[in-house]
Amino acid sequence: MPKSARVDNPQNIRAKLPVLPVRDTVHFPGVIQTLLVGRDMSVRALQIALNKDREVIVVGQKDQLIEEPKGTDLYPIGTLSEVLHVLPLPDGTMRVVLRGMARAHLHKLSFRARSFSTEYSLAQEQEVKTPNTEALIREAVAVFQQAANLGINIPPEVSETITAITDPGQLADTIAHHLPTTAQTKQSLLAQLNTETRMTELVQILTRELQVLELQSQLRTKVEREVGQTQREYYLREQLRAIQAELGGGDHLSEEGENYRQQFIQVGMPEETLERAMQEVKRLERAPTSSPEGMVIRNYIDWLLSLPWQTLTEDSIDVKKAVQILDRDHYGLTTVKDRIADFLAVRQVSNSLRGPILCFVGPPGVGKTSLGRSIAEALGRKFQRISLGGVRDEAEIRGHRRTYIGSMPGRLIQALKQCGTKNPVFMLDEIDKMTSDFRGDPTSALLEALDPEQNSTFSDHYIEAPFDLSAVMFICTANLLENIPAPLRDRMEIIRFPSYTEKEKIEIAKKYLLPEKLREHGLNKTHLKVDPKSFETIVREYTRESGVRSLNREIATVCRKTARQIAENNTKSVLVTPDNLTDFLGRPKFRYGLKGKTNEIGIATGLVYSEYGGDIISIEVALSEPYAEQPTIRLTGSLGDVMKESAHAAMSYLRQHQAELSDKDFRYDIHLHVPEGAVPKDGPSAGITILTALTSAYTNRPIRSDITMTGEITLRGKVLPVGGIREKVLAAHRAGFRKIILPADNERDLDDIPESVRKQIEFTFVSDAQEVLNLALTKK
């Protein structure tokens, strides 16, 4: 229906049309506007309009925050509009182009079928044309153009269109549409039917907006003027300094620079470093106050001042007291404590400030890190732990150069700042876990820090000045010594940490772990009582490790279960015995005594050593008729190159001596497997075990189930010594073996095995493969 026909009959209430509620905007008659529609009710209203005569009532929403408005939340007057174009978007919303046609009053607004609809009547505008109206038109156009010149974002064609409009109502609607004002203000203009009054209100709004724009322009001009003044002052100051330098008057020292100079003198840094620091202060004085360069220099100066150039902690070395502290905090480890006491005794006698560089090597959980804390306590020094596991960037050790944004010193210098003293105890944890990549090799960066001949002038890339690390006591920890590069290993005193015996674990659980966990869980001795035999059961059936970390966790589980029973059942005391231990820890995780009960063919038990301590492995061999002309050997179980070479060496020895072992021809396909195939295995110590399993399968002679062994095999059948004897023997003892075959050259290693274990095991020392086979294989 044409617009003129509607305006001719404004009082006539028309049939229902869909209602499109909008937020943050007002749609005026005579204006083409694009809206983004996303709410379900709005999309539904558009669909209804498109299906009929493309007409819709656009109504403003009183509260913009209401997502699902009711009829009372909409204004009573809106705009009758024609839908010109609709574009569905991928996110489910619609972009719609509307043309305003006339103001409309809403009657009998209702919400049905997920959208609003209403009967309506066209609003009759009161058009008055007087000289006052003409004046208002001219004033509105002039003020609007001034506002556009001061910053309102108005397209150029709109300004041209406005100057050509002579109808006051249409002019007011067009200008109101482009005003940067609130939706409430625009709604009041839409509801105003008297054109002269509407123009008056519009001119008032434009005048206020013009005043705001003028203030913004003044503020912008003022800021630009002040920035220009700051640059001018900086230029003049630089000229003044140049003139003073020519006249010989020198620079005027700033208060900040003078404070820095006094602090540098007080901290007692070396002369060379002091000169460099003074140069940095001069650079800071020449740099603009808030420039990035000034911030970098100030940060560097602060780092120089925070380092303990001359601050030392007075050592209180008393070897007897140190031994008492070590015994108090750690059970067993007699050899380790003796080595540490020797180092401390040398320091007490010599009064040397140079710190030793120790490396604790042993399986996890044996007390390497905690022993470092005890050493620091015995010396009266501060302790700082630096974790190096996974470090692969050289800058982590030496720091970043100051040319990089966000650069900072390396971990060693940072640790010195944190502890505030020049002679702390540094614990470099997991030094064998460092790796290297394109960013450098951090182990090489440690060479200077851990070399007593070089670390007195350690250079950090960020500090760019030598710092004396010779007073620092470095203690490194590692699980495997082989993973530490040889040049770095050569600079350290190696102290090996052995695995704990079963007796030692039980004593540690009683004297250290249980009291500690009771305190952590808010319990005491009356709340939890543990039968001494329960500790033995926990060690044997719930843990299998060289250290005591799993044991510590199991005891913590017992304490948690106890606390729960006390809280739920009001129990005053809980007794843990081997019989009710499953109520606390569940079913046993390991079977104590892993040695086989029957002699079997082709299955031999050997001893291995890894970063987690000693363990036992089974080696299985199966023979089958060959599929090809030449027999093949297949090795499975994630074997490393060295272990594969041991298998081939054993195979070669067996072929050389097959006539001595059996009268049948040795033409079989061989499959050698080491169980737990997902676990990598390597090393030469399984050589005699592999030979025993191969010979058993070939000769059809069972292997004794009560014997385990370790040793390297050669092509001539010689049995060579291997490492990790103590840990291997302890693993065999844990598994229930009481007969062990060892290389003859390893007999000297028996001194490292605890006497309580040594007495329970029968050791047989061999030097030839035939001796191994005679001991391990049963008679036919």
Side-chain angles (χ1 to χ4, degrees):
M1 183 178 294
K3 179 180 176 182
S4 58
R6 295 184 182 276
V7 177
D8 289 342
N9 302 287
Q11 299 301 323
N12 186 23
I13 296 180
R14 307 299 175 88
K16 286 188 176 183
L17 284 180
V19 175
L20 177 63
V22 294
R23 295 180 290 186
D24 288 334
T25 188
V26 174
H27 188 44
F28 286 92
V31 174
I32 296 177
Q33 184 176 6
T34 302
L35 298 178
L36 189 64
V37 176
R39 291 187 290 184
D40 183 64
M41 65 177 68
S42 302
V43 173
R44 179 63 179 164
L46 286 175
Q47 291 173 346
I48 295 173
L50 291 173
N51 292 332
K52 293 185 178 181
D53 55 1
R54 304 180 73 88
E55 292 184 350
V56 68
I57 305 293
V58 181
V59 182
Q61 189 173 309
K62 297 177 182 178
D63 189 347
Q64 303 171 8
L65 301 178
I66 297 177
E67 186 68 24
E68 300 290 339
K70 299 179 181 178
T72 55
D73 297 322
L74 304 180
Y75 288 107
I77 187 170
T79 303
L80 174 64
S81 303
E82 180 184 2
V83 180
L84 298 180
H85 181 68
V86 174
L87 176 64
L89 299 179
D91 59 356
T93 61
M94 290 186 174
R95 188 182 301 276
V96 57
V97 180
L98 301 172
R99 180 173 66 87
M101 299 167 62
R103 287 171 169 78
H105 290 289
L106 275 61
H107 304 283
K108 296 182 181 181
L109 181 66
S110 61
F111 185 82
R112 293 178 182 175
R114 297 183 291 117
S115 66
F116 284 105
S117 62
T118 183
E119 295 179 356
Y120 69 97
S121 62
L122 297 180
Q124 184 177 10
E125 297 189 22
Q126 302 172 10
E127 297 185 3
V128 181
K129 288 190 178 182
T130 64
N132 186 42
T133 305
E134 185 65 27
L136 288 172
I137 291 175
R138 295 180 182 180
E139 180 67 15
V141 172
V143 175
F144 183 75
Q145 289 179 341
Q146 292 180 30
N149 294 333
L150 287 176
I152 292 183
N153 189 16
I154 302 297
E157 61 272 13
V158 173
S159 299
E160 297 176 1
T161 302
I162 286 175
T163 57
I165 298 176
T166 58
D167 181 76
Q170 184 181 356
L171 178 65
D173 290 344
T174 305
I175 293 177
H177 171 73
H178 292 92
L179 276 180
T181 185
T182 63
Q184 289 82 358
T185 303
K186 291 184 177 182
Q187 181 66 33
S188 66
L189 293 175
L190 180 69
Q192 182 55 250
L193 301 180
N194 188 295
T195 57
E196 185 174 350
T197 304
R198 191 190 312 160
M199 287 295 301
T200 303
E201 294 178 359
L202 178 66
V203 170
Q204 293 174 354
I205 295 172
L206 282 171
T207 304
R208 287 196 301 269
E209 185 65 27
L210 182 61
Q211 292 174 352
V212 172
L213 290 172
E214 289 176 346
L215 287 175
Q216 287 181 343
S217 177
Q218 293 173 7
L219 288 173
R220 185 163 51 250
T221 304
K222 183 179 179 181
V223 169
E224 293 174 353
R225 189 187 309 117
E226 289 178 353
V227 171
Q229 182 67 20
T230 301
Q231 294 176 344
R232 179 173 177 273
E233 291 176 356
Y234 171 74
Y235 177 75
L236 292 175
R237 279 197 300 268
E238 291 298 319
Q239 282 189 327
L240 180 60
R241 289 176 180 173
I243 293 172
Q244 289 174 340
E246 289 293 330
L247 296 175
D251 294 337
H252 289 289
L253 300 178
S254 65
E255 183 178 354
E256 182 183 26
E258 185 61 28
N259 290 336
Y260 278 139
R261 288 183 174 87
Q262 294 177 1
Q263 293 178 50
F264 280 137
I265 296 173
Q266 293 172 1
V267 297
M269 60 180 57
E271 188 66 27
E272 178 184 353
T273 308
L274 181 62
E275 291 182 6
R276 182 178 184 85
M278 294 301 182
Q279 292 176 358
E280 293 296 326
V281 173
K282 290 182 180 179
R283 290 184 58 204
L284 179 63
E285 290 175 336
R286 291 195 299 268
T289 306
S290 58
S291 67
E293 181 186 6
M295 297 174 64
V296 171
I297 297 173
R298 190 175 288 104
N299 190 41
Y300 174 71
I301 292 175
D302 291 339
W303 266 103
L304 289 179
L305 291 173
S306 64
L307 294 179
W309 296 96
Q310 298 297 333
T311 306
L312 289 169
T313 302
E314 184 177 355
D315 286 348
S316 56
I317 303 178
D318 186 340
V319 177
K320 291 184 178 180
K321 180 182 176 183
V323 172
Q324 291 175 357
I325 293 175
L326 296 178
D327 290 337
R328 179 198 69 193
D329 296 340
H330 299 83
Y331 182 84
L333 303 176
T334 305
T335 305
V336 175
K337 293 176 183 176
D338 288 342
R339 292 280 302 273
I340 294 173
D342 293 342
F343 279 109
L344 298 181
V346 171
R347 292 183 60 79
Q348 182 177 348
V349 173
S350 64
N351 290 323
S352 173
L353 288 178
R354 176 167 291 180
I357 299 171
L358 309 178
C359 183
F360 295 164
V361 179
V366 294
K368 300 185 294 295
T369 303
S370 59
L371 193 64
R373 296 183 185 274
S374 300
I375 293 174
E377 181 183 351
L379 291 173
R381 293 189 178 190
K382 293 186 176 181
F383 179 81
Q384 196 72 27
R385 176 179 172 272
I386 303 175
S387 179
L388 298 179
V391 171
R392 61 182 62 200
D393 189 355
E394 179 191 0
E396 294 279 350
I397 307 299
R398 286 190 176 275
H400 300 80
R401 299 193 182 276
R402 285 193 292 154
T403 53
Y404 298 104
I405 297 175
S407 59
M408 59 191 308
R411 293 197 181 189
L412 297 179
I413 297 297
Q414 291 182 42
L416 284 169
K417 176 187 176 182
Q418 291 174 5
C419 62
T421 179
K422 190 180 178 182
N423 60 337
V425 175
F426 274 1
M427 173 67 76
L428 304 181
D429 218 359
E430 308 291 355
I431 196 172
D432 60 327
K433 304 298 191 301
M434 290 192 296
T435 58
S436 60
D437 59 9
F438 64 93
R439 289 169 289 191
D441 186 0
T443 58
S444 300
L446 278 177
L447 293 176
E448 180 184 3
L450 299 183
D451 190 343
E453 302 299 327
Q454 301 181 46
N455 61 9
S456 60
T457 56
F458 175 75
S459 177
D460 185 274
H461 288 160
Y462 182 85
I463 300 299
E464 295 180 332
F467 192 93
D468 187 4
L469 297 180
S470 60
V472 177
M473 182 175 183
F474 288 99
I475 301 176
C476 306
T477 70
N479 297 133
L480 281 180
L481 192 62
E482 292 77 11
N483 292 344
I484 304 176
L488 186 59
R489 189 167 61 239
D490 185 59
R491 287 163 166 77
M492 300 182 291
E493 295 284 344
I494 307 299
I495 298 180
R496 294 187 178 272
F497 277 59
S499 302
Y500 287 121
T501 64
E502 181 180 289
K503 180 181 178 182
E504 288 174 337
K505 290 181 181 180
I506 293 173
E507 293 299 321
I508 291 172
K510 290 179 181 178
K511 297 180 179 180
Y512 298 91
L513 301 183
L514 181 60
E516 178 187 353
K517 293 303 172 185
L518 287 175
R519 287 193 302 271
E520 290 181 3
H521 293 80
L523 304 174
N524 55 45
K525 295 181 179 180
T526 60
H527 290 139
L528 175 61
K529 297 178 181 179
V530 182
D531 188 314
K533 292 185 179 180
S534 299
F535 291 110
E536 181 178 302
T537 305
I538 295 174
V539 170
R540 289 181 174 181
E541 299 183 4
Y542 291 90
T543 65
R544 178 157 295 158
E545 58 178 344
S546 301
V548 292
R549 285 182 180 166
S550 294
L551 179 60
N552 190 31
R553 287 191 289 268
E554 298 299 333
I555 293 176
T557 302
V558 172
C559 291
R560 288 194 298 271
K561 296 290 185 180
T562 301
R564 181 176 176 180
Q565 289 187 20
I566 293 174
E568 291 181 350
N569 305 327
N570 294 324
T571 305
K572 294 183 179 180
S573 180
V574 175
L575 175 63
V576 179
T577 65
D579 296 332
N580 67 355
L581 194 57
T582 55
D583 297 336
F584 295 87
L585 299 178
R587 291 178 299 176
K589 300 176 182 177
F590 304 98
R591 180 170 60 87
Y592 178 70
L594 290 178
K595 69 184 185 65
K597 296 181 180 180
T598 60
N599 301 336
E600 297 185 67
I601 296 175
I603 300 179
T605 304
L607 301 175
V608 295
Y609 176 71
S610 68
E611 58 185 312
Y612 303 108
D615 202 354
I616 65 172
I617 61 170
S618 295
I619 295 180
E620 303 173 347
V621 173
L623 303 182
S624 60
E625 293 295 331
Y627 287 101
E629 294 183 2
Q630 295 297 327
T632 61
I633 180 171
R634 184 182 179 191
L635 307 175
T636 58
S638 297
L639 307 185
D641 292 338
V642 177
M643 197 168 183
K644 290 179 180 178
E645 291 170 359
S646 296
H648 286 292
M651 189 64 210
S652 298
Y653 175 83
L654 182 58
R655 286 201 168 121
Q656 290 175 5
H657 297 82
Q658 60 177 326
E660 305 170 14
L661 298 173
S662 177
D663 55 356
K664 61 181 180 180
D665 188 18
F666 192 77
R667 290 185 59 81
Y668 296 98
D669 284 345
I670 301 173
H671 185 180
L672 186 147
H673 177 69
V674 183
E676 298 187 20
V679 179
K681 309 165 191 71
D682 205 0
S685 61
I688 63 174
T689 313
I690 295 174
L691 175 62
T692 303
L694 287 169
T695 305
S696 172
Y698 174 56
T699 62
N700 209 32
R701 294 169 60 185
I703 301 172
R704 294 176 57 181
S705 62
D706 60 341
I707 285 183
T708 185
M709 63 197 76
T710 183
E712 182 178 355
I713 189 73
T714 69
L715 290 175
R716 296 175 298 166
K718 300 299 181 184
V719 180
L720 303 183
V722 293
I725 294 298
R726 185 183 192 277
E727 283 69 23
K728 293 177 179 178
V729 171
L730 292 179
H733 182 265
R734 285 197 303 269
F737 287 96
R738 295 299 179 263
K739 294 182 180 180
I740 301 178
I741 300 175
L742 295 177
D745 290 340
N746 283 121
E747 186 173 1
R748 61 180 181 269
D749 295 320
L750 291 187
D751 295 338
D752 298 333
I753 301 172
E755 185 177 357
S756 60
V757 176
R758 201 165 58 235
K759 288 181 177 180
Q760 300 179 38
I761 295 179
E762 177 186 338
F763 295 97
T764 303
F765 300 95
V766 297
S767 57
D768 186 81
Q770 194 58 48
E771 298 178 53
V772 178
L773 299 178
N774 293 336
L775 290 167
L777 300 178
T778 60
K779 305 295 182 181
K780 286 189 176 179

